Amino acid sequence: MSCSSLFFSLAAGFLLAWPVAAQPGVPELDAAYARRYRVKTVRVLEGNPDDPEVLRVKETYRFAASGRLLAHHNPGLEAARENTRSGHDYRDEAEPDALGRVGVSRRYVDDQLDATTYLSYDERTPLLQQVIRELTFYPVADYMPGGGFYDLRHAYDARGNRVETVSGPSFQVGETNLGSRQVCAYDAQHRLIAYTEYKQLFLPEVLDSTYYNAAGLVTRQAKYHWGPRGQPELYQLQLVTYDARHRPTGGLSLDRDSQGWQNIRTIRYRPDGQLLEEVDYTATFRRPATVAQALRRTADTLRAAPDGKVERATYRYNAHGQLVEWRRTLTDGWGHGLGPHFGPVVYLTRWEFDYYPRRGR
């Protein structure tokens, strides 16, 4: 991923689906994990929602006693790669500059040059390798008869945070685009607190803002779109709550679009701190809710809505404390199934382990 695509991903991913700590506790099957549990092999099995108890091997890992990964077999990924090869073949090449940084990047599609990008760096801070310009040229192609180019310029603050990216301008028949601009603001702890997109360089279009608690955890995120009157209007909102151990315990998500979608989540933990259960209640309403209306709604409110849904994720562990089963069950608000023959939709993942003998035995 290029520097520009990393930066622009801020706009798409600024509002978190949920805090990372609240995501499923799927194990990181790396060398540290293998050493800790003396794992020899791992088999990851998944069930089809139409027949969840019939499990098929999704992935297989094999580790040395030292924890080093010896083999990893993923039939699904290998099939996807094969499909990619049967479609288009993408290849990237990088040409370093005198300091070993990427100076020129070229992308090929089916061995034909698709784009060439030239990177310029801020020479005042060579160790930081801060890209200040990305100039991409596209050759003449069927979808771009005259060829073209794309120009990105980046600016940083004294602490090395990227604070602005400007793209454009571009010219087409009957239309002139001055370009777009993305501006970031940070707090004293270098945390991103605001991200603003401008069209035609100066017209605000989107504002994302993030709020933190005293422990540095995200408690609120909001996305605003500029309305026809030139004023920001709340479009998305997310609130997150935590317990005394700084673990997320749930929260609320709201989309103020024409569907009026809303979600309430609750999270529970085992006495040993492992994730036990996550429950999501979701529903859509005829019209967007105000923040006050959304805060008055409860899980029962969403469950009783005409299209209310409940998704429950449960986690099961073995005697070593390793996650061995993750089960998600989706029903309507009354507990009735949504799957074939009105049964619940179930997604099931299991992990099976073989171990090396413990030392001293």
Side-chain angles (χ1 to χ4, degrees):
M1 181 179 289
S2 68
C3 295
S4 59
S5 57
L6 276 172
F7 185 75
F8 284 121
S9 68
L10 284 171
F14 192 87
L15 285 176
L16 302 175
W18 279 104
V20 174
Q23 295 297 326
V26 176
E28 185 77 22
L29 299 176
D30 55 12
Y33 183 89
R35 284 195 302 269
R36 177 182 178 185
Y37 294 104
R38 303 287 294 166
V39 170
K40 185 176 183 180
T41 59
V42 184
R43 289 173 297 279
V44 185
L45 303 96
E46 283 192 347
N48 187 303
D50 294 334
D51 196 356
E53 299 300 333
V54 178
L55 299 178
R56 294 176 175 83
V57 176
K58 177 189 175 185
E59 294 180 87
T60 303
Y61 296 81
R62 187 162 57 89
F63 295 93
S66 64
R68 181 170 59 89
L69 180 64
L70 298 176
H72 175 212
H73 180 54
N74 186 330
L77 181 59
E78 290 161 7
R81 287 174 176 168
E82 186 61 34
N83 291 336
T84 300
R85 283 194 289 268
S86 64
H88 294 285
D89 182 37
Y90 295 88
R91 176 167 53 91
D92 293 306
E93 292 184 355
E95 179 181 315
D97 62 12
L99 297 179
R101 306 167 299 191
V102 176
V104 182
S105 175
R106 296 181 178 87
R107 163 155 288 200
Y108 295 85
V109 179
D110 297 332
D111 291 327
Q112 297 294 318
L113 181 63
D114 181 65
T116 303
T117 300
Y118 297 87
L119 302 180
S120 301
Y121 296 85
D122 189 344
E123 301 303 338
R124 297 171 300 178
T125 55
L127 295 179
L128 297 179
Q129 297 191 15
Q130 293 174 327
V131 177
I132 58 174
R133 188 179 186 187
E134 299 175 70
L135 184 58
T136 301
F137 291 92
Y138 300 92
V140 175
D142 293 339
Y143 59 87
M144 192 175 287
F149 70 92
Y150 193 62
D151 194 3
L152 289 176
R153 297 174 184 266
H154 310 294
Y156 304 82
D157 63 18
R159 297 177 294 184
N161 298 310
R162 189 176 299 186
V163 294
E164 183 181 70
T165 286
V166 177
S167 64
S170 62
F171 305 95
Q172 298 179 4
V173 177
E175 179 182 348
T176 298
N177 187 344
L178 297 179
S180 63
R181 188 160 60 104
Q182 298 81 36
V183 178
C184 289
Y186 304 84
D187 63 12
Q189 286 73 42
H190 299 213
R191 298 176 303 204
L192 185 64
I193 57 174
Y195 170 90
T196 310
E197 289 186 17
Y198 297 85
K199 59 183 179 180
Q200 298 291 359
L201 289 182
F202 306 108
L203 301 177
E205 188 172 29
V206 177
L207 168 64
D208 293 333
S209 59
T210 299
Y211 302 83
Y212 304 85
N213 62 15
L217 301 170
V218 175
T219 58
R220 181 175 55 168
Q221 290 187 300
K223 178 185 287 288
Y224 300 86
H225 286 184
W226 258 255
R229 298 181 180 179
Q231 297 293 327
E233 299 176 354
L234 181 65
Y235 181 71
Q236 290 178 325
L237 176 68
Q238 181 186 84
L239 306 175
V240 187
T241 58
Y242 300 87
D243 62 15
R245 298 172 62 179
H246 306 306
R247 301 176 304 188
T249 57
L252 175 149
S253 294
L254 174 69
D255 274 3
R256 300 192 68 252
D257 56 11
S258 59
Q259 299 298 316
W261 178 89
Q262 185 171 340
N263 166 277
I264 293 176
R265 167 173 283 198
T266 62
I267 304 171
R268 294 194 301 137
Y269 299 87
R270 303 196 322 168
D272 63 1
Q274 298 263 45
L275 198 56
L276 175 64
E277 180 186 70
E278 298 165 297
V279 184
D280 284 284
Y281 305 88
T282 59
T284 56
F285 298 87
R286 292 183 178 180
R287 60 180 60 89
T290 65
V291 175
Q293 290 171 333
L295 291 176
R296 285 196 296 267
R297 291 173 181 159
T298 65
D300 288 337
T301 307
L302 271 59
R303 185 164 50 191
D307 68 339
K309 296 180 179 63
V310 180
E311 182 174 340
R312 187 180 307 274
T314 56
Y315 301 84
R316 188 168 60 85
Y317 304 83
N318 62 17
H320 303 294
Q322 296 170 273
L323 180 67
V324 295
E325 182 179 281
W326 174 37
R327 181 187 295 263
R328 290 192 300 139
T329 305
L330 179 63
T331 65
D332 67 11
W334 305 102
H336 302 141
L338 301 171
H341 311 295
F342 300 102
V345 179
V346 178
Y347 299 88
L348 182 62
T349 302
R350 284 185 182 148
W351 291 263
E352 295 180 348
F353 301 92
D354 295 322
Y355 303 93
Y356 286 101
R358 291 286 177 180
R359 293 184 179 90
R361 294 186 179 180

